[in-house]
Amino acid sequence: APSLLTEGRADFPAGFVWGAATASYQIEGAAKEDGRGRSIWDAFSHTPGKVAGGDTGDVACDHYHRYAEDVRLMGELGLHAYRFSVAWPRIQADGTGPADPRGLAFYDRLVDELLAAGITPYTTLYHWDLPQALQERGGWADRDTAHRFAEYAELVHARLGDRVAHWTTLNEPWVSAFLGYASGVHAPGERDPAAAFRAAHHLLLGHGLAARALRAAGAREISLVVNSAPVLTPAQVADPSAPVAEADAEAVRRVDALLTRQFLDPALRGEYPAEVLEIVERHGGLAHLADGDLETIRQPIDLVGVNYYNPCVVESGPGEPANPAWPGTEDVRFCPAEGPLTAMGWPIVPTGLSRLLLRLAADYPGVGLIVTENGAAFDDTVDEDGRVRDTRRTAYLDGHLRAVHAAIEGGADLRGYIVWSLLDNFEWAEGYRRRFGIVHVDFGTQRRTLKDSALWYRDVIQRNGVLEKA
Ligand code: PNW
């Protein structure tokens, strides 16, 4: 029989959750409305030279005002789930104190609109927009931020918890810590590896404190979302069973420890990988790890959300220049992407997703998995007839859904698939020039247009599967 990884009809299990995702700073706009405070992304995007084209999230998709229209689009697509994040500075302008009722009221309206349309809200509490006032006290490099985060989480849950069952504490702590504090490509734009490791630990501590508080308040399902990827040698990308030299295997283990195990081992097993502890000792030391932290971090959680875009390809490279996002890998070569690329320059490797899911299922038994982000940026334009012919996105999604299907067949406890993104939006350091949406947004007029991939996704959801050919 032909492998369903490339063709043939693939049906998903009954109850499989189909969704689409966004994040507050990337879509909301209304940056100064209803008491919203400044976040680190307001400060960063308004600093010349940080974001392509000088773009900011001041207006973005104007979703703050157009949420009802956007929920209508979700309804047209037949989405089961919508994954969105709450902007912390709308709830607490400076990150402390009582909740601003105006900020809470926005998410209250959004949740009600979703429920009325039959769409299940998946709420992420932190998708990178830290209140700037907390950054001025050290941000995630400071331990107190973890406690502030747990308080904020309780405030949001107190208002939405009667209607929202699915709660994610953090989105992609690796990106927050290492692009924010080590490479400086993201807010707050620091370049201090020791601060990045402290940030990673305090993000985990915030996750644990918030998960404990959410559970005590009755939250039904709690998850942590990580950006993960299989770490492979160049030969393994093409041939999974290609032999790996010991020096390359060691490079692979170290990068995997930093990317995935640094977060999932503490959260699910209550321990840091030895490779990470060894690197942290050489980058600022371990003094920020307090007694009891790992017990706090290891809270029972229901799901791990997996954001996957492409594999991470490395080999041993003695004498390589340091890669600022990866402290402790000075002798590792991060290999340039090969083969077909998206507009981000990211390689398209669907089998990376099945490998990743099967590996996580094997290494972290007892926790459910859900793909919380997967998708691709391409240079989409609206044709004269009003259509957006994004055939490469449809092919990307079709291939990755087949990989998801293969992982389920292989035994992974995979609950759903959430595409990134519902809308073209503010793509962080890349600004608006990188379009990940299945819905096109004209940022001049705010007009939304369903791309061909959105219409295809609607049919996938309807039949709960992919057809012979996309
Ligand atoms: C994720 N990297 O970000 C985020 O969760 C989304 O907000 C974002 O829009 C999406 O992926 C597409 O980029 C990442 O450099 C950003 O490894 C950068 C990296 C990974 C994930």
Side-chain angles (χ1 to χ4, degrees):
S3 163
L4 294 181
L5 266 173
T6 49
E7 59 186 58
R9 186 183 165 118
D11 295 309
F12 285 75
F16 192 74
V17 174
W18 296 99
T22 63
S24 46
Y25 190 71
Q26 297 183 270
I27 65 163
E28 287 179 0
K32 292 185 175 160
E33 260 171 79
D34 292 340
R36 177 184 175 286
R38 262 161 76 80
S39 81
I40 56 175
W41 271 96
D42 295 300
F44 189 76
S45 66
H46 281 272
T47 305
K50 298 297 187 188
V51 175
D55 291 346
T56 75
D58 289 0
V59 178
C61 307
D62 195 32
H63 172 77
Y64 192 76
H65 300 114
R66 295 169 195 264
Y67 72 93
E69 174 188 352
D70 291 337
V71 173
R72 268 198 303 282
L73 288 175
M74 298 176 213
E76 277 178 45
L77 297 179
L79 298 186
H80 303 166
Y82 174 52
R83 173 177 180 252
F84 65 93
S85 77
V86 175
W88 185 348
R90 288 196 192 283
I91 309 304
Q92 296 172 301
D94 67 359
T96 62
D100 189 318
R102 296 167 294 178
L104 285 175
F106 169 67
Y107 297 103
D108 202 84
R109 293 194 295 277
L110 173 62
V111 164
D112 283 342
E113 199 77 25
L114 289 166
L115 294 175
I119 299 164
T120 305
Y122 278 64
T123 304
T124 297
L125 288 161
Y126 185 72
H127 200 129
W128 309 352
D129 38 5
L130 184 75
Q132 176 63 16
L134 292 184
Q135 187 57 43
E136 279 151 25
R137 291 153 54 173
W140 288 109
D142 189 82
R143 185 178 177 89
D144 185 57
T145 299
H147 292 279
R148 300 287 74 76
F149 175 65
E151 283 180 10
Y152 149 72
E154 282 197 80
L155 293 173
V156 179
H157 184 273
R159 179 67 175 257
L160 303 181
D162 59 337
R163 285 153 293 149
V164 173
H166 306 274
W167 294 89
T168 296
T169 54
L170 307 174
N171 179 68
E172 302 189 347
W174 182 87
V175 173
S176 291
F178 291 91
L179 299 192
Y181 294 81
S183 78
V185 170
H186 280 191
E190 292 189 13
R191 287 190 70 143
D192 174 357
F197 284 111
R198 287 202 308 278
H201 183 68
H202 297 141
L203 282 154
L204 282 164
L205 187 61
H207 158 76
L209 292 166
R212 181 189 279 160
L214 291 170
R215 189 70 77 193
R220 202 184 86 200
E221 186 183 86
I222 299 172
S223 59
L224 172 66
V225 168
V226 292
N227 55 301
S228 190
V231 183
L232 308 170
T233 62
Q236 284 181 308
V237 178
D239 173 9
S241 54
V244 180
E246 182 44 35
D248 293 333
E250 199 276 325
V252 163
R253 274 196 302 275
R254 207 157 1 118
V255 170
D256 180 66
L258 286 165
L259 177 64
T260 299
R261 285 184 282 133
Q262 176 170 202
F263 299 93
L264 293 185
D265 283 13
L268 299 172
R269 299 177 175 169
E271 64 193 25
Y272 272 111
E275 295 93 333
V276 169
L277 291 174
E278 196 265 325
I279 296 169
V280 181
E281 273 187 79
R282 291 184 283 113
H283 291 85
L286 301 167
H288 58 284
L289 308 185
D291 279 353
D293 282 2
L294 283 162
E295 286 87 276
T296 303
I297 292 167
R298 180 199 204 169
Q299 293 298 315
I301 59 172
D302 305 287
L303 289 182
V304 168
V306 179
N307 294 354
Y308 170 79
Y309 291 92
N310 49 258
C312 184
V313 184
V314 303
E315 61 191 0
S316 166
E320 281 298 304
N323 182 333
W326 298 92
T329 66
E330 290 71 20
D331 52 351
V332 173
R333 177 176 305 125
F334 288 81
C335 305
E338 277 179 50
L341 304 179
T342 70
M344 295 291 280
W346 295 351
I348 302 173
V349 187
T351 52
L353 180 54
S354 38
R355 276 189 191 217
L356 172 64
L357 293 170
L358 287 168
R359 174 271 173 113
L360 295 176
D363 286 1
Y364 303 100
V367 70
L369 297 172
I370 179 168
V371 174
T372 34
E373 286 182 27
N374 174 242
F378 291 107
D379 298 330
D380 308 306
T381 52
V382 184
D383 290 342
E384 275 183 25
D385 61 359
R387 270 181 62 189
V388 181
R389 291 172 167 79
D390 59 336
T391 49
R392 287 176 300 173
R393 179 172 294 98
T394 301
Y396 179 101
L397 298 176
D398 179 80
H400 286 77
L401 285 178
R402 291 170 186 284
V404 167
H405 187 266
I408 296 171
E409 298 275 283
D413 177 11
L414 211 280
R415 311 285 176 83
Y417 176 89
I418 301 182
V419 68
W420 184 269
S421 175
L422 177 72
L423 302 171
D424 290 339
N425 61 47
F426 176 79
E427 177 48 37
W428 307 114
E430 299 294 333
Y432 295 99
R433 66 182 182 174
R434 296 291 175 252
R435 296 178 173 274
F436 273 92
I438 57 172
V439 176
H440 183 276
V441 177
D442 178 326
F443 293 103
T445 61
Q446 290 296 345
R447 188 191 169 96
R448 276 82 161 130
T449 305
L450 302 187
K451 300 180 190 179
D452 283 0
S453 60
L455 302 172
W456 168 86
Y457 193 50
R458 178 190 63 193
D459 294 344
V460 168
I461 295 171
Q462 238 252 295
R463 72 171 89 85
N464 198 34
V466 289
L467 284 181
E468 306 298 310
K469 279 258 174 280

